[in-house]
Amino acid sequence: MTSGAPPVLGALGLFTVLLGAALPLIDFFIVNVALPTIGEDLHAGEAVLELVVAGYGVAYAVLLVLGGRLGDLFGRRRLFLGGLAAFGLASLACGLAPDAWTLVAARAAQGAAAAAMLPQVLATIQAGTAGARRARAMGLYGATAGLSMVGGQILGGVLVAADIAGSGWRAVFLVNVPAVLVGLVLAVRAVPDTRSPRPEPVDGPGTVLLAASLLTLLVPLTEGRAAGWPVWTWASLLAFPFVAWGFYAVERRADRAGRTPLVPPSLFALPSLRRGLILLAPFSVGFSGFMFVLAVALQQGAELGPVAAGVALVPMAAAFFVVSLCGPRLVARFGTRVVTAGGLIQVVGLVLIALAVRRDWPDLGIVTLLPGGAVAGAGQALQMPVLFRVILSEVPTARAGVGSGVMITTQQSALALGVATLGSLFLALAPGMGMRDALVTTLLAQLALVVVTVALSLRLPREVG
């Protein structure tokens, strides 16, 4: 290859970056079925257990855009390797944590490492592929993301129940270590070194204000219910719109002055990115809320063990995998109307799950949930991978890191909001109306979110670039 030739991401390199993409998403969901065991072993109350989830999710969301900018500036391969190594070390610290607060700190470090690593995945795909190869790679990324979210919960249940060498819940974190070692060896060999042709310096004020905006929103929502909604949670939520406006004003001023803000407002002039992000938010809120609530309901309400609770999701994961493989061909033929069809299919799946819960509670399991889970998984597979392609389709290669950082920040913030909002709704309703009716009500709330995504999908550009 000549020095002027563009970098090429081969099959082994693509596998490696997709492995890097899978690990952070698996770890967001893998703790859902492990939380009861963690609480019992470490004598942790509900508020601390919420921090085990929130510490990871908030650190991850807050630092993602900065991670994308640093990759553009210093080289995406370097940030990918550094983030992957740090993720492995933080996972080891989680698995060896002697007490709950050490686990919370290690989880926050895990989230920060993931924020350095994950934006480099999409940016490397954007820079190292083109045309049909890029479409296939983006389809595989979307399939990997969806499978990681569902599969993380299944894997968590299996690992906790297996109690490998007496490790119990610790295995859900220690399993990352060998995967990281494999990823590091492969990345050195197969991931090309790419960076922005016009590297842009870090936007200090923008970074601080974006972090403050996300913190004032996510921390009170994720911790408020367990903490009893003290005054600081309401003060933080009241401050959020003002801090967010300050962030937007600073970024717009920098953009107009010819400087390079952390999140250039001009990016949102791209219709595909703007409309895709607006749709991605309610989709992700519903997805993560559903996964969290179902894990709690199956274990605490239906009294299933961690393996049975995880296995109940196998039909959803299997359907997602099979249908996501067909996605690129369907998009080539029908365009983004595939997303609309996926939303309608997901509606049917959620209705079937709600009917099964109402009819068979508490005798739930893989057989009872199979029809609804499989249909809902198929619907999700027609939405998530296509949305990722749509959002990044018009982003210039020079801003691939920033674009992917903005997209993943939106997704991750919405995932955290889903656990906070739908999770809090379910846990607040359960004592008064019982687990069954609380679960059905929460499923109906998610159904409303899916109806919103179906309506928003009609505004997507018909063709995917």
Side-chain angles (χ1 to χ4, degrees):
M1 185 190 304
T2 64
S3 60
V8 176
L9 182 66
L12 185 60
L14 179 61
F15 170 82
T16 305
V17 295
L18 290 180
L19 173 64
L23 290 174
L25 291 169
I26 287 172
D27 259 65
F28 184 86
F29 289 90
I30 200 169
V31 297
N32 282 349
V33 292
L35 283 175
T37 313
I38 293 172
E40 183 179 339
D41 186 41
L42 298 182
H43 310 291
E46 188 181 355
V48 179
L49 289 178
E50 291 258 0
L51 279 175
V52 171
V53 178
Y56 178 83
V58 171
Y60 189 9
V62 164
L63 297 172
L64 271 164
V65 178
L66 178 61
R69 172 61 61 82
L70 293 174
D72 287 349
L73 185 61
F74 296 112
R76 293 154 190 156
R77 182 169 175 266
R78 181 181 299 176
L79 263 289
F80 180 80
L81 285 167
L84 186 59
F87 188 85
L89 291 173
S91 298
L92 182 62
C94 288
L96 300 178
D99 55 63
W101 287 107
T102 304
L103 178 59
V104 169
R107 283 284 284 170
Q110 236 191 347
M117 173 174 59
L118 194 56
Q120 319 317 324
V121 174
L122 283 167
T124 299
I125 290 173
Q126 289 285 96
T129 60
R133 289 183 66 249
R134 180 179 295 175
R136 283 194 298 273
M138 288 300 298
L140 286 171
Y141 175 86
T144 299
L147 279 174
S148 299
M149 290 189 246
V150 180
Q153 217 146 291
I154 298 170
L155 179 62
V158 171
L159 288 172
V160 170
D163 194 21
I164 302 166
S167 59
W169 60 267
R170 298 177 186 274
V172 304
F173 301 114
L174 296 176
V175 71
N176 291 330
V177 177
V180 163
L181 292 174
V182 171
L184 288 171
V185 171
L186 293 178
V188 170
R189 291 169 52 98
V191 175
D193 191 11
T194 70
R195 67 184 69 206
S196 172
R198 295 184 300 278
E200 298 157 341
V202 172
D203 170 18
T207 300
V208 171
L209 284 169
L210 176 61
S213 300
L214 292 173
L215 287 170
T216 54
L217 175 66
L218 296 178
V219 172
L221 286 178
T222 52
E223 282 298 298
R225 188 194 60 81
W229 296 105
V231 173
W232 71 262
T233 59
W234 297 109
S236 182
L237 289 172
L238 285 172
F240 165 70
F242 299 100
V243 180
W245 174 254
F247 169 68
Y248 173 73
V250 165
E251 298 297 271
R252 184 178 59 179
R253 190 180 306 119
D255 213 14
R256 290 178 173 175
R259 300 191 301 274
T260 305
L262 183 71
V263 180
S266 55
L267 268 184
F268 295 93
L270 303 173
S272 56
L273 182 135
R274 183 178 66 252
R275 295 173 187 175
L277 289 178
I278 292 171
L279 202 162
L280 182 64
F283 175 87
S284 299
V285 166
F287 193 111
S288 65
F290 169 82
M291 298 296 290
F292 175 79
V293 167
L294 197 61
V296 174
L298 291 178
Q299 289 190 91
Q300 296 183 10
E303 298 184 351
L304 297 182
V307 172
V311 168
L313 297 171
V314 166
M316 178 180 288
F320 191 103
F321 176 72
V322 172
V323 174
S324 65
L325 295 178
C326 306
R329 289 193 295 273
L330 292 172
V331 171
R333 183 170 180 182
F334 300 108
T336 56
R337 289 299 173 259
V338 169
V339 178
T340 308
L344 294 173
I345 293 169
Q346 189 183 0
V347 166
V348 175
L350 287 173
V351 169
L352 290 174
I353 293 173
L355 290 174
V357 170
R358 187 159 184 81
R359 181 185 66 241
D360 297 319
W361 182 268
D363 299 319
L364 299 180
I366 184 171
V367 175
T368 311
L369 296 176
L370 189 153
V375 173
Q380 290 163 343
L382 293 175
Q383 296 173 82
M384 185 186 294
V386 183
L387 271 179
F388 290 158
R389 280 184 59 189
V390 169
I391 290 168
L392 296 178
S393 61
E394 295 180 308
V395 176
T397 301
R399 287 187 164 176
V402 176
S404 60
V406 169
M407 184 184 79
I408 304 168
T409 298
T410 302
Q411 181 195 27
Q412 185 60 39
S413 300
L415 291 176
L417 282 174
V419 173
T421 53
L422 293 181
S424 294
L425 173 66
F426 171 74
L427 293 171
L429 293 176
M433 62 171 50
M435 281 271 187
R436 185 195 72 169
D437 291 342
L439 179 55
V440 171
T441 303
T442 308
L443 287 170
L444 293 177
Q446 190 199 351
L447 191 64
L449 286 172
V450 178
V451 171
V452 170
T453 65
V454 170
L456 291 172
S457 70
L458 297 174
R459 300 201 66 234
L460 292 174
R462 285 298 298 268
E463 302 299 324
V464 184

PDB file of all heavy atoms in Angstrom, residues 88-126:
ATOM      1  N   GLY A  88     -10.074  -3.766  30.490  1.00  0.00           N
ATOM      2  CA  GLY A  88      -9.702  -5.046  31.079  1.00  0.00           C
ATOM      3  C   GLY A  88      -9.253  -4.903  32.526  1.00  0.00           C
ATOM      4  O   GLY A  88      -9.634  -5.693  33.401  1.00  0.00           O
ATOM      5  N   LEU A  89      -8.428  -3.886  32.803  1.00  0.00           N
ATOM      6  CA  LEU A  89      -7.955  -3.663  34.174  1.00  0.00           C
ATOM      7  C   LEU A  89      -9.105  -3.284  35.116  1.00  0.00           C
ATOM      8  O   LEU A  89      -9.169  -3.757  36.255  1.00  0.00           O
ATOM      9  CB  LEU A  89      -6.889  -2.567  34.178  1.00  0.00           C
ATOM     10  CG  LEU A  89      -5.547  -2.928  33.517  1.00  0.00           C
ATOM     11  CD1 LEU A  89      -4.654  -1.701  33.428  1.00  0.00           C
ATOM     12  CD2 LEU A  89      -4.852  -4.047  34.297  1.00  0.00           C
ATOM     13  N   ALA A  90     -10.023  -2.434  34.618  1.00  0.00           N
ATOM     14  CA  ALA A  90     -11.170  -2.048  35.440  1.00  0.00           C
ATOM     15  C   ALA A  90     -12.087  -3.244  35.689  1.00  0.00           C
ATOM     16  O   ALA A  90     -12.652  -3.388  36.782  1.00  0.00           O
ATOM     17  CB  ALA A  90     -11.946  -0.912  34.768  1.00  0.00           C
ATOM     18  N   SER A  91     -12.230  -4.116  34.698  1.00  0.00           N
ATOM     19  CA  SER A  91     -13.034  -5.328  34.877  1.00  0.00           C
ATOM     20  C   SER A  91     -12.419  -6.235  35.935  1.00  0.00           C
ATOM     21  O   SER A  91     -13.129  -6.826  36.758  1.00  0.00           O
ATOM     22  CB  SER A  91     -13.152  -6.090  33.545  1.00  0.00           C
ATOM     23  OG  SER A  91     -13.809  -5.320  32.566  1.00  0.00           O
ATOM     24  N   LEU A  92     -11.096  -6.345  35.908  1.00  0.00           N
ATOM     25  CA  LEU A  92     -10.398  -7.139  36.924  1.00  0.00           C
ATOM     26  C   LEU A  92     -10.641  -6.547  38.314  1.00  0.00           C
ATOM     27  O   LEU A  92     -10.901  -7.280  39.281  1.00  0.00           O
ATOM     28  CB  LEU A  92      -8.906  -7.181  36.609  1.00  0.00           C
ATOM     29  CG  LEU A  92      -8.022  -8.013  37.543  1.00  0.00           C
ATOM     30  CD1 LEU A  92      -8.420  -9.480  37.504  1.00  0.00           C
ATOM     31  CD2 LEU A  92      -6.548  -7.844  37.163  1.00  0.00           C
ATOM     32  N   ALA A  93     -10.596  -5.211  38.412  1.00  0.00           N
ATOM     33  CA  ALA A  93     -10.856  -4.549  39.692  1.00  0.00           C
ATOM     34  C   ALA A  93     -12.291  -4.796  40.160  1.00  0.00           C
ATOM     35  O   ALA A  93     -12.540  -4.993  41.357  1.00  0.00           O
ATOM     36  CB  ALA A  93     -10.584  -3.049  39.568  1.00  0.00           C
ATOM     37  N   CYS A  94     -13.255  -4.791  39.224  1.00  0.00           N
ATOM     38  CA  CYS A  94     -14.648  -5.098  39.578  1.00  0.00           C
ATOM     39  C   CYS A  94     -14.751  -6.519  40.132  1.00  0.00           C
ATOM     40  O   CYS A  94     -15.399  -6.765  41.162  1.00  0.00           O
ATOM     41  CB  CYS A  94     -15.557  -4.967  38.360  1.00  0.00           C
ATOM     42  SG  CYS A  94     -15.858  -3.279  37.794  1.00  0.00           S
ATOM     43  N   GLY A  95     -14.116  -7.461  39.430  1.00  0.00           N
ATOM     44  CA  GLY A  95     -14.211  -8.855  39.838  1.00  0.00           C
ATOM     45  C   GLY A  95     -13.551  -9.157  41.160  1.00  0.00           C
ATOM     46  O   GLY A  95     -13.912 -10.128  41.838  1.00  0.00           O
ATOM     47  N   LEU A  96     -12.574  -8.338  41.553  1.00  0.00           N
ATOM     48  CA  LEU A  96     -11.849  -8.562  42.813  1.00  0.00           C
ATOM     49  C   LEU A  96     -12.298  -7.610  43.925  1.00  0.00           C
ATOM     50  O   LEU A  96     -11.717  -7.625  45.015  1.00  0.00           O
ATOM     51  CB  LEU A  96     -10.345  -8.389  42.583  1.00  0.00           C
ATOM     52  CG  LEU A  96      -9.695  -9.340  41.558  1.00  0.00           C
ATOM     53  CD1 LEU A  96      -8.214  -9.020  41.397  1.00  0.00           C
ATOM     54  CD2 LEU A  96      -9.891 -10.798  41.959  1.00  0.00           C
ATOM     55  N   ALA A  97     -13.309  -6.796  43.662  1.00  0.00           N
ATOM     56  CA  ALA A  97     -13.722  -5.768  44.631  1.00  0.00           C
ATOM     57  C   ALA A  97     -14.079  -6.389  45.980  1.00  0.00           C
ATOM     58  O   ALA A  97     -14.931  -7.282  46.051  1.00  0.00           O
ATOM     59  CB  ALA A  97     -14.913  -4.990  44.077  1.00  0.00           C
ATOM     60  N   PRO A  98     -13.472  -5.895  47.078  1.00  0.00           N
ATOM     61  CA  PRO A  98     -13.753  -6.470  48.402  1.00  0.00           C
ATOM     62  C   PRO A  98     -15.032  -5.938  49.042  1.00  0.00           C
ATOM     63  O   PRO A  98     -15.546  -6.528  49.981  1.00  0.00           O
ATOM     64  CB  PRO A  98     -12.520  -6.046  49.215  1.00  0.00           C
ATOM     65  CG  PRO A  98     -12.075  -4.764  48.584  1.00  0.00           C
ATOM     66  CD  PRO A  98     -12.384  -4.899  47.122  1.00  0.00           C
ATOM     67  N   ASP A  99     -15.522  -4.796  48.545  1.00  0.00           N
ATOM     68  CA  ASP A  99     -16.739  -4.221  49.126  1.00  0.00           C
ATOM     69  C   ASP A  99     -17.499  -3.452  48.048  1.00  0.00           C
ATOM     70  O   ASP A  99     -17.009  -3.273  46.929  1.00  0.00           O
ATOM     71  CB  ASP A  99     -16.403  -3.294  50.302  1.00  0.00           C
ATOM     72  CG  ASP A  99     -15.405  -2.204  49.916  1.00  0.00           C
ATOM     73  OD1 ASP A  99     -15.744  -1.371  49.057  1.00  0.00           O
ATOM     74  OD2 ASP A  99     -14.279  -2.209  50.462  1.00  0.00           O
ATOM     75  N   ALA A 100     -18.701  -3.019  48.414  1.00  0.00           N
ATOM     76  CA  ALA A 100     -19.598  -2.412  47.426  1.00  0.00           C
ATOM     77  C   ALA A 100     -19.056  -1.103  46.871  1.00  0.00           C
ATOM     78  O   ALA A 100     -19.176  -0.828  45.667  1.00  0.00           O
ATOM     79  CB  ALA A 100     -20.971  -2.193  48.051  1.00  0.00           C
ATOM     80  N   TRP A 101     -18.461  -0.261  47.719  1.00  0.00           N
ATOM     81  CA  TRP A 101     -18.000   1.037  47.245  1.00  0.00           C
ATOM     82  C   TRP A 101     -16.792   0.902  46.319  1.00  0.00           C
ATOM     83  O   TRP A 101     -16.631   1.686  45.379  1.00  0.00           O
ATOM     84  CB  TRP A 101     -17.694   1.958  48.418  1.00  0.00           C
ATOM     85  CG  TRP A 101     -18.947   2.432  49.074  1.00  0.00           C
ATOM     86  CD1 TRP A 101     -19.451   2.050  50.277  1.00  0.00           C
ATOM     87  CD2 TRP A 101     -19.904   3.355  48.524  1.00  0.00           C
ATOM     88  NE1 TRP A 101     -20.658   2.679  50.525  1.00  0.00           N
ATOM     89  CE2 TRP A 101     -20.954   3.487  49.469  1.00  0.00           C
ATOM     90  CE3 TRP A 101     -19.975   4.083  47.331  1.00  0.00           C
ATOM     91  CZ2 TRP A 101     -22.049   4.312  49.259  1.00  0.00           C
ATOM     92  CZ3 TRP A 101     -21.067   4.910  47.115  1.00  0.00           C
ATOM     93  CH2 TRP A 101     -22.080   5.024  48.069  1.00  0.00           C
ATOM     94  N   THR A 102     -15.947  -0.095  46.567  1.00  0.00           N
ATOM     95  CA  THR A 102     -14.851  -0.367  45.625  1.00  0.00           C
ATOM     96  C   THR A 102     -15.414  -0.789  44.281  1.00  0.00           C
ATOM     97  O   THR A 102     -14.910  -0.390  43.223  1.00  0.00           O
ATOM     98  CB  THR A 102     -13.929  -1.467  46.176  1.00  0.00           C
ATOM     99  OG1 THR A 102     -13.448  -1.076  47.463  1.00  0.00           O
ATOM    100  CG2 THR A 102     -12.749  -1.711  45.246  1.00  0.00           C
ATOM    101  N   LEU A 103     -16.475  -1.596  44.304  1.00  0.00           N
ATOM    102  CA  LEU A 103     -17.119  -2.018  43.058  1.00  0.00           C
ATOM    103  C   LEU A 103     -17.697  -0.825  42.316  1.00  0.00           C
ATOM    104  O   LEU A 103     -17.568  -0.722  41.082  1.00  0.00           O
ATOM    105  CB  LEU A 103     -18.211  -3.043  43.365  1.00  0.00           C
ATOM    106  CG  LEU A 103     -19.014  -3.559  42.163  1.00  0.00           C
ATOM    107  CD1 LEU A 103     -18.103  -4.226  41.131  1.00  0.00           C
ATOM    108  CD2 LEU A 103     -20.100  -4.536  42.621  1.00  0.00           C
ATOM    109  N   VAL A 104     -18.317   0.107  43.036  1.00  0.00           N
ATOM    110  CA  VAL A 104     -18.880   1.307  42.393  1.00  0.00           C
ATOM    111  C   VAL A 104     -17.773   2.104  41.695  1.00  0.00           C
ATOM    112  O   VAL A 104     -17.926   2.543  40.539  1.00  0.00           O
ATOM    113  CB  VAL A 104     -19.612   2.172  43.434  1.00  0.00           C
ATOM    114  CG1 VAL A 104     -19.957   3.547  42.850  1.00  0.00           C
ATOM    115  CG2 VAL A 104     -20.874   1.478  43.912  1.00  0.00           C
ATOM    116  N   ALA A 105     -16.640   2.293  42.378  1.00  0.00           N
ATOM    117  CA  ALA A 105     -15.528   3.053  41.799  1.00  0.00           C
ATOM    118  C   ALA A 105     -14.957   2.337  40.576  1.00  0.00           C
ATOM    119  O   ALA A 105     -14.657   2.968  39.545  1.00  0.00           O
ATOM    120  CB  ALA A 105     -14.432   3.251  42.851  1.00  0.00           C
ATOM    121  N   ALA A 106     -14.812   1.011  40.674  1.00  0.00           N
ATOM    122  CA  ALA A 106     -14.275   0.249  39.542  1.00  0.00           C
ATOM    123  C   ALA A 106     -15.236   0.279  38.354  1.00  0.00           C
ATOM    124  O   ALA A 106     -14.813   0.309  37.193  1.00  0.00           O
ATOM    125  CB  ALA A 106     -13.998  -1.195  39.969  1.00  0.00           C
ATOM    126  N   ARG A 107     -16.546   0.280  38.643  1.00  0.00           N
ATOM    127  CA  ARG A 107     -17.525   0.365  37.556  1.00  0.00           C
ATOM    128  C   ARG A 107     -17.447   1.722  36.856  1.00  0.00           C
ATOM    129  O   ARG A 107     -17.582   1.800  35.623  1.00  0.00           O
ATOM    130  CB  ARG A 107     -18.933   0.154  38.113  1.00  0.00           C
ATOM    131  CG  ARG A 107     -19.251  -1.281  38.413  1.00  0.00           C
ATOM    132  CD  ARG A 107     -19.533  -2.076  37.165  1.00  0.00           C
ATOM    133  NE  ARG A 107     -20.869  -1.784  36.646  1.00  0.00           N
ATOM    134  CZ  ARG A 107     -21.326  -2.189  35.467  1.00  0.00           C
ATOM    135  NH1 ARG A 107     -20.553  -2.876  34.658  1.00  0.00           N
ATOM    136  NH2 ARG A 107     -22.539  -1.905  35.076  1.00  0.00           N
ATOM    137  N   ALA A 108     -17.230   2.793  37.606  1.00  0.00           N
ATOM    138  CA  ALA A 108     -17.074   4.106  36.982  1.00  0.00           C
ATOM    139  C   ALA A 108     -15.833   4.128  36.094  1.00  0.00           C
ATOM    140  O   ALA A 108     -15.851   4.682  34.979  1.00  0.00           O
ATOM    141  CB  ALA A 108     -16.985   5.194  38.046  1.00  0.00           C
ATOM    142  N   ALA A 109     -14.735   3.498  36.558  1.00  0.00           N
ATOM    143  CA  ALA A 109     -13.526   3.413  35.736  1.00  0.00           C
ATOM    144  C   ALA A 109     -13.781   2.589  34.484  1.00  0.00           C
ATOM    145  O   ALA A 109     -13.278   2.912  33.391  1.00  0.00           O
ATOM    146  CB  ALA A 109     -12.395   2.794  36.561  1.00  0.00           C
ATOM    147  N   GLN A 110     -14.572   1.533  34.612  1.00  0.00           N
ATOM    148  CA  GLN A 110     -14.950   0.725  33.448  1.00  0.00           C
ATOM    149  C   GLN A 110     -15.690   1.575  32.420  1.00  0.00           C
ATOM    150  O   GLN A 110     -15.429   1.490  31.216  1.00  0.00           O
ATOM    151  CB  GLN A 110     -15.872  -0.402  33.918  1.00  0.00           C
ATOM    152  CG  GLN A 110     -15.431  -1.793  33.574  1.00  0.00           C
ATOM    153  CD  GLN A 110     -16.525  -2.809  33.836  1.00  0.00           C
ATOM    154  OE1 GLN A 110     -17.533  -2.535  34.480  1.00  0.00           O
ATOM    155  NE2 GLN A 110     -16.318  -4.003  33.343  1.00  0.00           N
ATOM    156  N   GLY A 111     -16.625   2.393  32.897  1.00  0.00           N
ATOM    157  CA  GLY A 111     -17.380   3.248  31.988  1.00  0.00           C
ATOM    158  C   GLY A 111     -16.503   4.264  31.281  1.00  0.00           C
ATOM    159  O   GLY A 111     -16.665   4.523  30.076  1.00  0.00           O
ATOM    160  N   ALA A 112     -15.533   4.841  32.007  1.00  0.00           N
ATOM    161  CA  ALA A 112     -14.615   5.799  31.389  1.00  0.00           C
ATOM    162  C   ALA A 112     -13.754   5.123  30.322  1.00  0.00           C
ATOM    163  O   ALA A 112     -13.506   5.695  29.244  1.00  0.00           O
ATOM    164  CB  ALA A 112     -13.726   6.428  32.473  1.00  0.00           C
ATOM    165  N   ALA A 113     -13.286   3.901  30.596  1.00  0.00           N
ATOM    166  CA  ALA A 113     -12.476   3.161  29.615  1.00  0.00           C
ATOM    167  C   ALA A 113     -13.306   2.840  28.371  1.00  0.00           C
ATOM    168  O   ALA A 113     -12.823   2.955  27.232  1.00  0.00           O
ATOM    169  CB  ALA A 113     -11.938   1.881  30.249  1.00  0.00           C
ATOM    170  N   ALA A 114     -14.561   2.456  28.583  1.00  0.00           N
ATOM    171  CA  ALA A 114     -15.442   2.160  27.450  1.00  0.00           C
ATOM    172  C   ALA A 114     -15.651   3.397  26.586  1.00  0.00           C
ATOM    173  O   ALA A 114     -15.729   3.313  25.350  1.00  0.00           O
ATOM    174  CB  ALA A 114     -16.781   1.637  27.955  1.00  0.00           C
ATOM    175  N   ALA A 115     -15.731   4.571  27.225  1.00  0.00           N
ATOM    176  CA  ALA A 115     -15.921   5.817  26.485  1.00  0.00           C
ATOM    177  C   ALA A 115     -14.726   6.154  25.610  1.00  0.00           C
ATOM    178  O   ALA A 115     -14.863   6.809  24.570  1.00  0.00           O
ATOM    179  CB  ALA A 115     -16.195   6.962  27.458  1.00  0.00           C
ATOM    180  N   ALA A 116     -13.524   5.735  26.025  1.00  0.00           N
ATOM    181  CA  ALA A 116     -12.341   5.948  25.185  1.00  0.00           C
ATOM    182  C   ALA A 116     -12.318   4.974  24.015  1.00  0.00           C
ATOM    183  O   ALA A 116     -11.856   5.319  22.923  1.00  0.00           O
ATOM    184  CB  ALA A 116     -11.076   5.783  26.029  1.00  0.00           C
ATOM    185  N   MET A 117     -12.833   3.768  24.218  1.00  0.00           N
ATOM    186  CA  MET A 117     -12.722   2.709  23.219  1.00  0.00           C
ATOM    187  C   MET A 117     -13.826   2.738  22.163  1.00  0.00           C
ATOM    188  O   MET A 117     -13.567   2.645  20.962  1.00  0.00           O
ATOM    189  CB  MET A 117     -12.733   1.359  23.942  1.00  0.00           C
ATOM    190  CG  MET A 117     -12.801   0.139  23.043  1.00  0.00           C
ATOM    191  SD  MET A 117     -12.642  -1.402  23.973  1.00  0.00           S
ATOM    192  CE  MET A 117     -14.023  -1.295  25.105  1.00  0.00           C
ATOM    193  N   LEU A 118     -15.079   2.864  22.597  1.00  0.00           N
ATOM    194  CA  LEU A 118     -16.191   2.604  21.689  1.00  0.00           C
ATOM    195  C   LEU A 118     -16.314   3.580  20.517  1.00  0.00           C
ATOM    196  O   LEU A 118     -16.601   3.146  19.390  1.00  0.00           O
ATOM    197  CB  LEU A 118     -17.503   2.534  22.475  1.00  0.00           C
ATOM    198  CG  LEU A 118     -18.686   1.943  21.709  1.00  0.00           C
ATOM    199  CD1 LEU A 118     -18.373   0.551  21.180  1.00  0.00           C
ATOM    200  CD2 LEU A 118     -19.923   1.892  22.588  1.00  0.00           C
ATOM    201  N   PRO A 119     -16.109   4.899  20.698  1.00  0.00           N
ATOM    202  CA  PRO A 119     -16.219   5.783  19.526  1.00  0.00           C
ATOM    203  C   PRO A 119     -15.231   5.431  18.414  1.00  0.00           C
ATOM    204  O   PRO A 119     -15.486   5.720  17.241  1.00  0.00           O
ATOM    205  CB  PRO A 119     -15.925   7.174  20.105  1.00  0.00           C
ATOM    206  CG  PRO A 119     -16.215   7.061  21.553  1.00  0.00           C
ATOM    207  CD  PRO A 119     -15.853   5.661  21.936  1.00  0.00           C
ATOM    208  N   GLN A 120     -14.108   4.809  18.771  1.00  0.00           N
ATOM    209  CA  GLN A 120     -13.102   4.469  17.762  1.00  0.00           C
ATOM    210  C   GLN A 120     -13.596   3.360  16.831  1.00  0.00           C
ATOM    211  O   GLN A 120     -13.119   3.230  15.711  1.00  0.00           O
ATOM    212  CB  GLN A 120     -11.787   4.044  18.429  1.00  0.00           C
ATOM    213  CG  GLN A 120     -11.353   4.842  19.635  1.00  0.00           C
ATOM    214  CD  GLN A 120     -11.515   6.344  19.502  1.00  0.00           C
ATOM    215  OE1 GLN A 120     -11.326   6.901  18.416  1.00  0.00           O
ATOM    216  NE2 GLN A 120     -11.846   7.017  20.596  1.00  0.00           N
ATOM    217  N   VAL A 121     -14.536   2.566  17.319  1.00  0.00           N
ATOM    218  CA  VAL A 121     -15.048   1.452  16.511  1.00  0.00           C
ATOM    219  C   VAL A 121     -15.757   1.993  15.283  1.00  0.00           C
ATOM    220  O   VAL A 121     -15.421   1.657  14.133  1.00  0.00           O
ATOM    221  CB  VAL A 121     -15.990   0.568  17.351  1.00  0.00           C
ATOM    222  CG1 VAL A 121     -16.642  -0.498  16.482  1.00  0.00           C
ATOM    223  CG2 VAL A 121     -15.228  -0.081  18.507  1.00  0.00           C
ATOM    224  N   LEU A 122     -16.756   2.837  15.496  1.00  0.00           N
ATOM    225  CA  LEU A 122     -17.510   3.375  14.362  1.00  0.00           C
ATOM    226  C   LEU A 122     -16.650   4.289  13.496  1.00  0.00           C
ATOM    227  O   LEU A 122     -16.777   4.296  12.265  1.00  0.00           O
ATOM    228  CB  LEU A 122     -18.733   4.132  14.877  1.00  0.00           C
ATOM    229  CG  LEU A 122     -19.884   3.239  15.331  1.00  0.00           C
ATOM    230  CD1 LEU A 122     -20.911   4.040  16.106  1.00  0.00           C
ATOM    231  CD2 LEU A 122     -20.541   2.555  14.147  1.00  0.00           C
ATOM    232  N   ALA A 123     -15.776   5.070  14.133  1.00  0.00           N
ATOM    233  CA  ALA A 123     -14.911   5.955  13.351  1.00  0.00           C
ATOM    234  C   ALA A 123     -13.962   5.149  12.467  1.00  0.00           C
ATOM    235  O   ALA A 123     -13.691   5.527  11.316  1.00  0.00           O
ATOM    236  CB  ALA A 123     -14.114   6.860  14.285  1.00  0.00           C
ATOM    237  N   THR A 124     -13.446   4.025  12.971  1.00  0.00           N
ATOM    238  CA  THR A 124     -12.560   3.168  12.167  1.00  0.00           C
ATOM    239  C   THR A 124     -13.325   2.522  11.024  1.00  0.00           C
ATOM    240  O   THR A 124     -12.813   2.405   9.908  1.00  0.00           O
ATOM    241  CB  THR A 124     -11.920   2.088  13.064  1.00  0.00           C
ATOM    242  OG1 THR A 124     -11.147   2.731  14.090  1.00  0.00           O
ATOM    243  CG2 THR A 124     -11.011   1.171  12.260  1.00  0.00           C
ATOM    244  N   ILE A 125     -14.564   2.103  11.283  1.00  0.00           N
ATOM    245  CA  ILE A 125     -15.393   1.545  10.210  1.00  0.00           C
ATOM    246  C   ILE A 125     -15.646   2.598   9.133  1.00  0.00           C
ATOM    247  O   ILE A 125     -15.536   2.327   7.927  1.00  0.00           O
ATOM    248  CB  ILE A 125     -16.722   1.012  10.779  1.00  0.00           C
ATOM    249  CG1 ILE A 125     -16.472  -0.254  11.614  1.00  0.00           C
ATOM    250  CG2 ILE A 125     -17.715   0.712   9.654  1.00  0.00           C
ATOM    251  CD1 ILE A 125     -17.698  -0.758  12.350  1.00  0.00           C
ATOM    252  N   GLN A 126     -15.965   3.828   9.565  1.00  0.00           N
ATOM    253  CA  GLN A 126     -16.213   4.897   8.596  1.00  0.00           C
ATOM    254  C   GLN A 126     -14.974   5.201   7.758  1.00  0.00           C
ATOM    255  O   GLN A 126     -15.054   5.429   6.549  1.00  0.00           O
ATOM    256  CB  GLN A 126     -16.637   6.176   9.335  1.00  0.00           C
ATOM    257  CG  GLN A 126     -18.016   6.126   9.960  1.00  0.00           C
ATOM    258  CD  GLN A 126     -19.126   6.253   8.947  1.00  0.00           C
ATOM    259  OE1 GLN A 126     -19.678   5.247   8.497  1.00  0.00           O
ATOM    260  NE2 GLN A 126     -19.470   7.465   8.582  1.00  0.00           N
TER     261      GLN A 126
END
